[in-house]
Amino acid sequence: MKFFVDGANVKEIKELAEMGLVDGVTTNPSIIAKTGRKIKDVIAEICEAVDGPVSAEVTATDVEGMVREGKYLAKIASNVCVKVPLTEDGLKACYRLRQENILVNVTLCFSSMQALMAAKAGATFISPFIGRLDDIGQEGMTLISEICQVYDNYPEITTQVLAASLRHPLHVKQVAEIGADVATLPAKVFKQLVKHPLTDNGLDAFLKDWQSTGQSIIED
Ligand code: E4P
């Protein structure tokens, strides 16, 4: 299973990469806005820090504008993945950008049939948003199961299911159990996944007992 960082804090991304946890990064216009920096600079810096795909989203809403912005973003680095919304123009842009071998992440997906359309348009990744469905009282996780089931029926589909809008460790556990290809998580959720109070307590006890021996492992 691949893990992407959903965020644009380069320091946090590098810290997680040092643990070998980072296969890519996703951003969106809201995430970039929070940095207060130019999208080109932020994406270039992230692309340098990470080997895998780094999603950078277009903000035009018409096909020509999206293709133009997509090509511009793709020139920032070879691992840029252009993110387009799941609209008719977004799918046209996806199809055009894929013909030029540019990686495309189709975002804001809320139904399995939208996901099937994105796969037909050649999307590299489809991003179903779990948390935002939960927010309106729908079972977001069902969407991941439905998309995986539909895609699994057709071996010719190569689009990867990128579970997005994951807000807590239980979301991650559930998408891993279902078998999503990728989960994108905020840095905070990575840290929650690593931490366990019994690990911390156990380590404290081990170190206390070790100290009482007066030994050190390396003696010379
Ligand atoms: C993913 O690509 C999105 O940027 C992100 O997961 C959205 O998450 P949110 O619904 O918590 O904003």
Side-chain angles (χ1 to χ4, degrees):
M1 184 178 188
K2 286 181 236 168
F3 284 104
F4 291 0
V5 183
D6 194 31
N9 182 319
V10 182
K11 189 171 165 268
E12 279 179 346
I13 294 168
K14 281 184 178 166
E15 260 176 41
L16 294 168
E18 280 173 17
M19 288 183 269
L21 303 181
V22 181
D23 300 300
V25 172
T26 52
T27 67
N28 62 38
S30 307
I31 288 172
I32 297 293
K34 269 186 220 142
T35 68
R37 300 175 60 204
K38 282 188 185 296
I39 183 168
K40 193 179 173 198
D41 298 342
V42 180
I43 295 296
E45 216 175 308
I46 299 173
C47 284
E48 181 128 357
V50 168
D51 282 337
V54 174
S55 289
E57 189 160 344
V58 298
T59 53
T61 52
D62 64 298
V63 59
E64 293 307 329
M66 286 191 218
V67 169
R68 213 168 33 247
E69 288 181 357
K71 286 182 183 173
Y72 180 87
L73 291 168
K75 277 196 194 124
I76 296 174
S78 59
N79 53 337
V80 165
C81 176
V82 175
K83 214 172 178 191
V84 300
L86 211 159
T87 58
E88 287 191 18
D89 278 41
L91 292 188
K92 285 178 195 164
C94 171
Y95 187 62
R96 295 245 308 260
L97 293 165
R98 290 298 295 133
Q99 282 174 331
E100 303 206 17
N101 258 329
I102 292 171
L103 300 174
V104 179
N105 176 356
V106 178
T107 190
L108 291 167
C109 170
F110 293 97
S111 83
S112 60
M113 289 303 100
Q114 279 188 313
L116 187 56
M117 297 302 100
K120 286 295 289 177
T124 317
F125 298 102
I126 182 70
S127 289
F129 276 34
I130 309 309
R132 292 192 191 190
L133 280 170
D134 290 352
D135 289 345
I136 59 159
Q138 290 184 24
E139 184 55 67
M141 208 48 66
T142 308
L143 176 59
I144 298 293
S145 308
E146 286 174 358
I147 297 172
C148 288
Q149 191 188 343
V150 169
Y151 280 13
D152 284 351
N153 285 339
Y154 301 99
E156 70 273 20
I157 293 180
T158 56
T159 304
Q160 297 176 55
V161 179
L162 195 174
S165 186
L166 303 176
R167 309 265 177 78
H168 48 70
L170 182 59
H171 272 156
V172 184
K173 180 173 182 268
Q174 288 171 330
V175 296
E177 283 167 357
I178 293 166
D181 301 289
V182 190
T184 188
L185 340 166
K188 181 184 135 216
V189 179
F190 273 99
K191 288 176 192 290
Q192 290 175 319
L193 288 168
V194 171
K195 203 169 173 57
H196 197 289
L198 291 180
T199 306
D200 297 341
N201 293 348
L203 183 59
D204 283 349
F206 284 158
L207 293 181
K208 207 169 150 229
D209 290 343
W210 181 249
Q211 225 171 11
S212 73
T213 69
Q215 294 184 53
S216 65
I217 291 178
I218 300 171
E219 288 185 336
D220 39 35

